[in-house]
Amino acid sequence: MENDNWVNKPGKAQKSLKLRKMMKCFCSGEQLQIGDMVPLPDSPATKDYRASVRSSRAGDTGNIEEAESSLRESGALNYEEARALLGRYEYQKGNIEAALHVFEGIDIASVTTKMKVTLAKRAQIQKRRSQKYDTPPMSIHAVSLLLEAVFLKAKSLQALGRFKEAAQSCTVILDIVESSLPEGLPENFGADCKLQETLSNAVELLPQLWILADAPKEAIMSYRRALLRQWNLDVQTNAKIKKEFAIFLLYSGNEYNPPSLRFQMDSSFVPRTNIEEAILLLMILLRKVTLQIIEWDPSIFDHLSYALSISGGLWALANQVEELLPRNIDLCERHHILALCYYGEGDNFTALNLLRKLLSSAEDPTCVPGLLLASRICAESLECAEDGINFARRAIESLQGRCNHLMGVANYVLGLSLSAQSKAAMTDSERVRMQSEALQSLESAGRLTKMNDSNVIYHLCVENAEQRNLDTALHYARCFVELEGESTLKGWMLWARVLSAQKKFPEAETVIDEAVDQSGKWDQGTLLRTKAKLQIAQGQVKNAIGTYVQLLADLQIQRKSFGLEENLKKEKDFNRTMELETWHDLASIYIKSSRWQDAEFCLSKSEAISCYSASRLYIAGLLHQSKGLHKAALTDYTNALAVDPSHVPSLISTAVVLRQLGNHSPATLISYLRGALRLDRTNVAAWHNLGLIYKEEGSAMEAAECFETAWFLEESEPIEPFR
C-alpha cells in the first residue's frame, strides 16, 4: 500500500486544495469526488475508520499543515502516513482505544529502512551544507509524522495500563534515530518539524514506562541511554531526567551495575553504587543551579543531603552548602546544616561555634532545632555541659504549649547535659543532685515521647545502670532491644553489661550468643570480645583465649575483604582498633598466668599495628611490673600518659608503682588517683588504692570511705563500662 497515492501530483495550489477537501471529508463524512483523488481500494483504514471520523465536523489545521508539508516534499501521502494522521486526530479527540486501533494498523517495520536512510542523509546534508545530494526516499516531515504516531501509540498504551508494550513502542523511536545517527543528533536537527519534540518526549517517557512495568533494570538502562547519548535535549528536560534518575537510584531499593565501560572516559570518576551515581547526578544539577543554568529546586538539595548523609559524605555536603548562593538558602538554615555536617564528622568544636552564631541575638536565638543540637553537642564534653543545660532550658521555654514530642527531645538533651555535668561536680551532694535531675529529665522525656523514642530509652537504661538501679536498667535494656527489633548491637551489649553488673554471667553470655546469631559476620567483633570477657569472669580462661583467637581470625579475613576501598575507611579504622585491643586483652591474660613470652608476642603484634598506643604502653608496663621491673614499668606508664594524659589505667598504675618504689610523697600518689577518679568516678582500682594510701597515712575514716565505695562498686561492676 505504500505506493498508493491518495493525492496525485498536479500544481502546488491544486494539491493544497485537494488535501483540504480530503481532510474536510475525513472530518465531515462527505465523499471526495472521483475527479479529486485516485480511487482507494477498500482498505482497513477506510473500512474501520469511516464511521469514526464522522464524529466531528471541526477541521484539524495541524493535521492539514503536517500533511501539506509531506506532500510538498514527496508529492504523495501514503497509507502509513494517512493512518498516522487519523490516529493523531483520534488521540487528540480523546478516543484512546480508537487511536490505538489506528496506530496498530501502521506497519512501521516496512518503512524503517527508508526512515533511517532519510535521517542519515538529512544529517549529512546539514553537516556539509551542500545542495548536491541524492533525494532521500522519504520527506523529513513524513519521518516526523510516523515517529510521532509511534510515540502516540506508546501514550495510548500507557493510558490503557499496558506499560510494557508502551515501553517497547517508545524504544522503537530511539532505536531508529540512534542507528541512523550513531554519533548523535546534529545541532538544530529536525527544527523545522516535530521530530525533535517527539524524540525528546520519547526519551523522557521511556524510563517512566519501564518503572510502571516493574522492570527496574530496563528503567536504569533507559535513564543512562537518555543521559549518555546526544539527543539534543533542552536544558530543563535534561535536568528533569537527571533528577528523576537520581531519585529512582536512591529509593528503588535495588542495586544495579555501574555504567558500561564504553561510556567511561580516561581518568573520569565512575560511580560504583546506586548512591554514588545518584550523588554524582545531584551534584551536577546543583552546580548548574549555582551557575544559573537551571532554576533553583530545593528538592535537589534535599535529596543530595539524604544521599550524602547515608553514605558518610558530610564533608562533601558541607562544601555544597557553602557553595549555595544566599538567595537559595536562608542564613540560619545554612548555619544549622553546616553544624549538622561538622557534628556528624566529629568536629564538635566547629559545629558548636556555628550554632552559637546561629543562636546569637543577631540571628535566631529561639531556633529550637539549633538549641537542641547545641545541647546535644555540649553533653558530650565536661567543659561545655553547663552550656548544654542552658541551651536545653531555652529550648524548653520556647516549646511551652507546643509540640509534645519536641518537648520530650528537649528534656532528653537536658538529661544528657545534667548527667555530663554531674561528672564534673566538686562535691558528692552536688553530684547526687544533678544525677537525680538528669534521671527526672529523662523520665519526663520518656513520658512525652510515649516511650517510643529508642534514644531516650537507651539513656534511661544507661543512667539507671550508672546509678546502680540495675533492675530498672535491665527493664529498659529489654525495652530498647524490643523497640529496635533486636537489630541494634548496642542494645544487646547494654543488656549483657547490666546482667554482668548483677553477676549473672551465664545469662549475659546467652544474650551475647543470641546477638551473634542475629548479626552479620562483620558485626560480631565487639560481641566476641565481650563474650571473651564474660568467659574470663567465669574462670573459663581457655575458652576466652579461643574466643579471642576466633575474633582475630575474623578480623584478618575482613581486612583482606575490604582491600583498599576508601569508602570503608571508618570500618577499617574501627577494626584496627579492635585488633589492637584484642592483642592487649590476650597479653593481659598471659601476664596474669606468668606466660611472659606469649605476652611479649602479643605486644609485638600490637606494635605492628600502632607504635604509639597508650594501651600498648600500659600493657608493656604491666608486663615489666609483673617481672618486678618497677622502674621500667614506670617509664612505660609515663610514656602512656604522654600519649594520652587521660588514660585512667596508666594514672592508677603510676600511683601503684610509685608507692612500691617508695620515693614519692603521698600527696603525689593521691593526685594521680584523684585524677583518675575525676575521669572515671566508678573505677574500683582507683578507690581501693586511694584507701590503701589513706590507711598508711593514718587517715582511717577516709580510708574506710574509700574501701566501702570500692566494695560497693565492685559488687555491681560490669565487665565493660555501660556507656
Side-chain angles (χ1 to χ4, degrees):
M1 291 296 295
E2 66 185 52
N3 293 324
D4 292 337
N5 294 339
W6 282 45
V7 181
N8 286 332
K9 202 174 181 182
K12 177 178 179 181
Q14 187 178 359
K15 285 190 293 184
S16 179
L17 178 61
K18 290 183 177 181
L19 178 63
R20 292 179 187 276
K21 287 183 179 181
M22 181 184 72
M23 295 306 298
K24 183 179 180 182
C25 176
F26 282 154
C27 297
S28 67
E30 297 176 2
Q31 297 294 319
L32 285 175
Q33 299 299 317
I34 295 177
D36 290 335
M37 64 178 292
V38 177
L40 185 67
D42 270 346
S43 65
T46 55
K47 284 182 178 179
D48 296 342
Y49 300 100
R50 187 170 290 148
S52 66
V53 297
R54 290 175 180 166
S55 61
S56 174
R57 300 282 177 178
D60 190 332
T61 304
N63 289 349
I64 294 173
E65 291 177 353
E66 190 74 29
E68 282 185 335
S69 299
S70 180
L71 286 168
R72 278 196 293 270
E73 295 193 24
S74 66
L77 185 67
N78 66 24
Y79 174 76
E80 276 72 27
E81 295 167 35
R83 292 192 77 100
L85 284 171
L86 284 169
R88 179 168 70 181
Y89 178 76
E90 292 291 349
Y91 182 83
Q92 291 171 345
K93 292 289 291 178
N95 302 326
I96 302 300
E97 292 185 359
L100 180 59
H101 197 50
V102 177
F103 292 135
E104 287 178 338
I106 299 175
D107 185 8
I108 200 69
S110 65
V111 293
T112 295
T113 302
K114 291 183 179 181
M115 294 170 68
K116 291 181 179 179
V117 172
T118 300
L119 290 171
K121 287 185 177 294
R122 171 87 171 193
Q124 292 174 1
I125 294 167
Q126 188 168 338
K127 186 176 181 181
R128 296 174 183 173
R129 300 184 181 278
S130 171
Q131 298 300 319
K132 296 179 180 180
Y133 54 86
D134 296 332
T135 303
M138 298 179 69
S139 71
I140 191 65
H141 292 280
V143 174
S144 174
L145 183 62
L146 290 171
L147 290 180
E148 183 194 24
V150 178
F151 175 72
L152 293 178
K153 177 183 177 182
K155 292 289 290 181
S156 300
L157 289 165
Q158 179 189 12
L160 296 173
R162 295 158 63 179
F163 304 121
K164 184 176 181 180
E165 296 173 65
Q168 292 168 343
S169 182
C170 226
T171 303
V172 171
I173 302 173
L174 274 59
D175 289 343
I176 290 173
V177 176
E178 193 172 41
S179 59
S180 307
L181 307 168
E183 296 181 1
L185 275 69
E187 190 176 355
N188 297 323
F189 187 83
D192 55 344
C193 60
K194 295 183 67 176
L195 177 61
Q196 182 62 62
E197 179 185 346
T198 300
L199 183 59
S200 298
N201 290 336
V203 169
E204 184 179 354
L205 179 63
L206 181 57
Q208 299 173 13
L209 292 173
W210 283 124
I211 292 172
L212 291 171
D214 194 23
K217 291 185 178 179
E218 287 77 6
I220 291 284
M221 294 171 62
S222 299
Y223 275 124
R224 288 174 179 160
R225 186 180 189 182
L227 297 174
L228 296 173
R229 292 286 186 180
Q230 178 62 34
W231 302 109
N232 280 356
L233 303 176
D234 63 79
V235 173
Q236 295 301 326
T237 301
N238 184 275
K240 183 180 178 183
I241 293 173
K242 281 188 172 73
K243 177 184 170 182
E244 290 177 353
F245 186 23
I247 291 172
F248 183 74
L249 289 168
L250 282 175
Y251 310 115
S252 65
N254 296 298
E255 192 65 45
Y256 305 102
N257 294 326
S260 172
L261 289 172
R262 64 194 180 100
F263 293 116
Q264 300 172 12
M265 296 182 293
D266 293 339
S267 73
S268 63
F269 171 75
V270 180
R272 293 160 294 185
T273 64
N274 280 15
I275 302 298
E276 287 187 0
E277 193 168 359
I279 289 172
L280 179 61
L281 291 167
L282 293 168
M283 290 183 76
I284 290 172
L285 290 173
L286 207 58
R287 178 56 56 89
K288 288 185 177 182
V289 169
T290 303
L291 297 175
Q292 301 184 39
I293 297 174
I294 61 176
E295 295 180 357
W296 166 245
D297 181 354
S299 66
I300 294 174
F301 181 71
D302 293 340
H303 293 303
L304 180 61
S305 300
Y306 169 75
L308 289 171
S309 298
I310 63 175
S311 63
L314 294 177
W315 287 128
L317 178 58
N319 292 334
Q320 292 298 315
V321 174
E322 289 174 347
E323 289 181 3
L324 288 176
L325 298 175
R327 66 170 176 271
N328 293 333
I329 186 170
D330 180 73
L331 185 61
C332 293
E333 184 181 4
R334 180 194 295 269
H335 285 154
H336 186 229
I337 295 174
L338 285 174
L340 284 168
C341 291
Y342 286 115
Y343 175 61
E345 290 291 348
D347 189 352
N348 290 8
F349 178 78
T350 303
L352 190 56
N353 282 342
L354 284 165
L355 290 170
R356 290 185 192 279
K357 187 174 183 180
L358 167 64
L359 299 170
S360 65
S361 57
E363 290 194 24
D364 190 358
T366 61
C367 175
V368 171
L371 289 167
L372 296 177
L373 180 58
S375 179
R376 182 69 181 85
I377 294 173
C378 289
E380 298 179 13
S381 170
L382 293 178
E383 293 79 11
C384 300
E386 187 173 356
D387 289 338
I389 295 171
N390 294 330
F391 285 131
R393 285 176 174 161
R394 283 169 59 184
I396 291 172
E397 184 178 351
S398 298
L399 286 166
Q400 289 297 331
R402 293 168 60 185
C403 176
N404 279 346
H405 182 78
L406 280 179
M407 182 67 82
V409 175
N411 276 277
Y412 161 67
V413 294
L414 175 60
L416 296 184
S417 296
L418 285 166
S419 179
Q421 180 70 0
S422 70
K423 294 175 175 57
M426 300 301 294
T427 64
D428 289 341
S429 60
E430 185 181 3
R431 183 179 66 258
V432 170
R433 178 183 61 79
M434 287 187 174
Q435 286 178 337
S436 177
E437 290 180 8
L439 202 53
Q440 289 175 12
S441 295
L442 290 171
E443 288 171 350
S444 296
R447 287 192 299 272
L448 289 166
T449 58
K450 299 180 180 179
M451 300 304 289
N452 288 324
D453 190 321
S454 59
N455 287 322
V456 174
I457 295 176
Y458 178 83
H459 283 91
L460 270 170
C461 176
V462 171
E463 194 63 33
N464 276 284
E466 289 187 338
Q467 296 186 33
R468 295 308 190 262
N469 303 321
L470 296 180
D471 290 336
T472 305
L474 186 61
H475 165 72
Y476 284 124
R478 288 170 175 162
C479 290
F480 178 78
V481 171
E482 182 179 351
L483 187 61
E484 291 288 304
E486 302 182 353
S487 62
T488 305
L489 290 184
K490 70 176 185 178
W492 293 104
M493 297 289 296
L494 184 56
W495 189 354
R497 288 166 182 169
V498 173
L499 286 170
S500 72
Q502 294 179 318
K503 307 308 176 187
K504 298 177 181 178
F505 300 120
E507 293 181 36
E509 188 174 354
T510 301
V511 169
I512 294 297
D513 287 337
E514 188 172 351
V516 169
D517 293 338
Q518 297 279 351
S519 62
K521 183 68 174 178
W522 299 148
D523 298 326
Q524 295 177 0
T526 306
L527 294 170
L528 289 174
R529 189 176 178 214
T530 302
K531 180 177 180 177
K533 293 179 179 180
L534 287 168
Q535 290 170 333
I536 293 171
Q538 297 174 76
Q540 303 170 3
V541 178
K542 187 175 181 180
N543 291 342
I545 292 174
T547 303
Y548 279 127
V549 171
Q550 179 187 346
L551 171 56
L552 289 170
D554 289 346
L555 290 172
Q556 186 176 9
I557 295 171
Q558 192 170 353
R559 183 172 63 249
K560 291 179 179 178
S561 300
F562 281 167
L564 299 176
E565 295 286 341
E566 292 184 5
N567 61 330
L568 295 174
K569 184 179 183 302
K570 290 183 179 179
E571 287 84 348
K572 289 194 293 185
D573 290 345
F574 176 79
N575 287 340
R576 282 172 60 86
T577 303
M578 175 69 66
E579 184 177 1
L580 186 75
E581 296 303 327
T582 301
W583 284 116
H584 295 162
D585 290 348
L586 275 171
S588 298
I589 293 175
Y590 293 136
I591 289 171
K592 291 177 182 177
S593 304
S594 299
R595 295 169 59 178
W596 296 329
Q597 188 173 358
D598 291 334
E600 289 170 354
F601 172 79
C602 294
L603 285 173
S604 67
K605 286 291 187 179
S606 72
E607 186 177 12
I609 299 172
S610 176
C611 297
Y612 303 102
S613 164
S615 60
R616 190 192 72 80
L617 292 167
Y618 165 71
I619 298 297
L622 289 181
L623 178 59
H624 284 129
Q625 190 176 350
S626 67
K627 293 180 179 180
L629 304 174
H630 299 302
K631 290 185 178 180
L634 183 60
T635 301
D636 291 326
Y637 297 142
T638 303
N639 291 336
L641 291 173
V643 173
D644 181 7
S646 61
H647 192 253
V648 172
S650 294
L651 287 169
I652 298 170
S653 294
T654 299
V656 171
V657 171
L658 290 175
R659 176 170 167 267
Q660 290 172 340
L661 291 173
N663 55 358
H664 283 76
S665 66
T668 302
L669 307 183
I670 290 173
S671 67
Y672 278 107
L673 294 172
R674 287 293 183 189
L677 289 172
R678 277 194 297 272
L679 296 167
D680 182 6
R681 191 73 185 176
T682 61
N683 192 286
V684 175
W687 283 109
H688 178 75
N689 283 285
L690 187 60
L692 292 175
I693 295 171
Y694 280 134
K695 181 181 178 182
E696 290 176 354
E697 291 299 302
S699 302
M701 185 174 295
E702 289 83 351
E705 290 178 356
C706 291
F707 289 138
E708 184 179 1
T709 303
W711 175 84
F712 172 76
L713 291 173
E714 187 176 17
E715 285 296 303
S716 57
E717 184 182 23
I719 54 167
E720 294 173 326
F722 294 114
R723 292 186 189 272

